[in-house]
Amino acid sequence: ARPGPFRAGELALAEVRRKHNATVKMMCRLAAGSVLTSHGGVLPHRDIIGQLPGQVMRTSAGARLLLRRPSLEEYVLLMPRGPTIAYPKDISAMLMMIDIHPGDTVLETGSGSGAMSLFLSRAVGPKGRVISYEIREDHHNLAKKNYRHWRAAWEIGHKEEWPDNVDFILKDISTAAADMKSRTLDAIVLDMLNPQLALPVVHSSLKQGGVCAVYLANITQVIDLLDKIRTCKLPFVCEKIIEVTHRNWLVLPVPYIAKPSYWQDAHSAFLTKLRKFRPLIS
């Protein structure tokens, strides 16, 4: 991050400590005439602009707020949503599955609210490319808006630009066979209701040995996916099916008491890792 102060137009994150060591986070885009409103009072944006991140400030009612720039994880959790997002805990596992590098080309189906698109954008870097298909126009527009807002705020608060490397395409991936003929993909991420409809279209563009990571809400969808691969004899082997769980803990101050948090991350998805192989020629 730029070692300078907050500037108008960038994003600021305010943290309020509550009882039981809980933290409430609020995100805002700084504008000279606006105010940050919380349960503990208000804080004019003009008082934040010019301050260095990490500054503790008081609201009109005396509540203490820690001000800083949001991480990408915090942005995707607090940004406007249409459909449910892929949560950062699952996104990080999927990034490890597909093992992409700067300069790679990745296909995403199901832009949703744009959470996965942003993480993929960072992973492939300025020389890479993310092609994101979405069938619903409202989701397509929201994903583009969230992506643009993050890029705009990033460029104000950082020395380097965030790469403009995501192509958002409003189209049903199952009808995009002609598009895929001209593509060579290093990895694929499927976040859609019926990913088995996309695999016959996209598998030929994926490089040999490449990975397709699939995000599904329930295990019956996973079974349907694997059955489609078997019956259609698609060149994929299922390497793993996982859930990602985090157990949050509280460490309360003197006398120190450690115990599981009152709030735990529930099940969010099943992550399936498919590897493309080349069948033996008899």
Side-chain angles (χ1 to χ4, degrees), residues 28-203:
C28 64
R29 186 176 298 275
L30 296 174
S34 300
V35 296
L36 174 64
T37 304
S38 72
H39 294 295
V42 300
L43 179 64
H45 286 192
R46 64 175 179 272
D47 292 348
I48 302 173
I49 296 170
Q51 298 289 339
L52 288 171
Q55 178 71 43
V56 176
M57 304 185 70
R58 290 192 180 275
T59 66
S60 58
R64 292 160 58 89
L65 301 180
L66 172 63
L67 277 299
R68 58 182 178 81
R69 293 183 173 103
S71 66
L72 182 56
E73 176 186 8
E74 290 162 332
Y75 176 74
V76 301
L77 290 173
L78 295 171
M79 69 186 184
R81 299 186 196 176
T84 302
I85 63 167
Y87 285 90
K89 68 182 182 70
D90 297 320
I91 290 175
S92 61
M94 295 176 81
L95 289 174
M96 293 303 100
M97 281 183 176
I98 60 179
D99 192 29
I100 54 175
H101 305 85
D104 283 352
T105 299
V106 184
L107 172 70
E108 175 193 24
T109 67
S111 306
S113 298
M116 190 74 198
S117 308
L118 279 161
F119 279 93
L120 291 172
S121 171
R122 181 168 67 179
V124 302
K127 296 182 179 180
R129 207 76 204 160
V130 179
I131 304 106
S132 183
Y133 278 78
E134 175 58 56
I135 192 172
R136 287 186 50 167
E137 186 173 4
D138 54 341
H139 295 176
H140 168 77
N141 291 333
L142 180 59
K144 288 198 299 183
K145 182 178 179 181
N146 284 333
Y147 179 72
R148 287 198 304 265
H149 282 182
W150 173 259
R151 286 192 69 242
W154 178 273
E155 290 171 11
I156 295 172
H158 297 76
K159 291 180 180 179
E160 72 280 4
E161 292 186 354
W162 187 274
D164 185 10
N165 59 359
V166 181
D167 298 322
F168 291 100
I169 300 172
L170 179 59
K171 192 173 186 178
D172 184 350
I173 189 64
S174 64
T175 65
D179 300 353
M180 291 298 106
K181 287 181 180 179
S182 60
R183 301 283 189 186
T184 300
L185 305 172
D186 295 289
I188 297 173
V189 175
L190 303 181
D191 182 4
M192 53 190 292
L193 189 61
N194 296 302
Q196 57 270 27
L197 300 180
L199 281 180
V201 175
V202 303
H203 77 85

Side-chain angles (χ1 to χ4, degrees), residues 186-259:
D186 295 289
I188 297 173
V189 175
L190 303 181
D191 182 4
M192 53 190 292
L193 189 61
N194 296 302
Q196 57 270 27
L197 300 180
L199 281 180
V201 175
V202 303
H203 77 85
S204 60
S205 298
L206 181 63
K207 67 180 183 182
Q208 294 292 340
V211 171
C212 174
V214 188
Y215 185 96
L216 290 167
N218 61 69
I219 198 65
T220 57
Q221 291 174 296
V222 177
I223 293 169
D224 290 343
L225 172 66
L226 298 181
D227 187 58
K228 178 71 171 180
I229 292 172
R230 181 184 62 83
T231 57
C232 293
K233 298 181 179 180
L234 296 174
F236 287 102
V237 59
C238 179
E239 290 192 352
K240 66 170 66 173
I241 303 164
I242 65 170
E243 290 179 279
V244 179
T245 58
H246 287 176
R247 192 178 188 194
N248 300 313
W249 279 75
L250 290 175
V251 178
L252 304 177
V254 184
Y256 285 104
I257 300 173
K259 59 182 181 180

